[in-house]
Amino acid sequence: MTALTDLDRRLLSALREDGRAPVASLARQLGVARATVNSRLERLIATGTIVGFTVRVRDEMDPFAIHAVALIAVEGRTTDRVISHLRGFPEIRALHSTNGGWDLVAELRTESLVEFDQLLGRIRGVEGIVNSETSLLLSSVLR
């Protein structure tokens, strides 16, 4: 994989702000030619640096209104099995391995607190999970 240049980083930052920004606007913002933006975008996509584009929904309009982060401790060498099991939970939007006191961090989304409570029970029931701590995300102050 090719190392990112300062221009690549600035382009990615601009796209995080507005993934639908026209190439001409991006070029003006970055102080480069449109052809440069086009070629950088093509390269970032071809190398797998950019793996897709998505939409961000206004928090109050998101049907999955309950957002949380779960810290998960796993017993012994069961991490791979636990990860495989958790991949089947559609409410888990992302799952990360980590260091420190916790083994995994899961990003959770549900439509209601009832579903959230049920999800926590299902997570805690996965064989190999020995402890968890979950925090509801109340509002986003930076994305």
Side-chain angles (χ1 to χ4, degrees):
M1 187 176 277
T2 310
L4 295 178
T5 67
D6 179 60
L7 179 58
D8 293 333
R9 286 186 191 84
R10 292 187 302 131
L11 176 57
L12 291 170
S13 177
L15 288 170
R16 283 188 186 108
E17 279 297 312
D18 182 3
R20 293 184 52 173
V23 171
S25 296
L26 291 168
R28 273 192 306 279
Q29 181 180 344
L30 299 171
V32 297
R34 287 189 322 226
T36 301
V37 171
N38 275 327
S39 66
R40 294 295 175 119
L41 275 173
E42 288 173 10
R43 183 175 55 79
L44 291 168
I45 291 167
T47 61
T49 301
I50 294 177
V51 295
F53 296 86
T54 187
V55 63
R56 289 182 1 216
V57 177
R58 183 179 307 276
D59 287 342
E60 61 270 16
M61 300 301 291
D62 189 350
F64 292 96
I66 308 300
H67 300 210
V69 175
L71 306 172
I72 301 168
V74 176
E75 179 179 41
R77 298 175 188 239
T78 63
T79 304
D80 290 340
R81 190 170 59 237
V82 167
I83 289 170
S84 293
H85 196 94
L86 293 176
R87 281 188 175 145
F89 290 37
E91 303 91 345
I92 297 179
R93 298 300 176 99
L95 187 60
H96 312 275
S97 61
T98 186
N99 67 330
W102 301 99
D103 300 302
L104 300 170
V105 176
E107 297 175 33
L108 313 175
R109 299 247 177 131
T110 63
E111 290 189 38
S112 69
L113 287 174
V114 170
E115 288 181 12
F116 178 71
D117 186 39
Q118 292 168 348
L119 173 62
L120 291 182
R122 289 180 18 235
I123 289 172
R124 291 177 182 140
V126 171
E127 187 176 335
I129 292 180
V130 293
N131 195 13
S132 68
E133 180 179 315
T134 306
S135 295
L136 288 171
L137 304 178
L138 301 176
S139 64
S140 297
V141 296
L142 177 66
R143 283 193 194 194

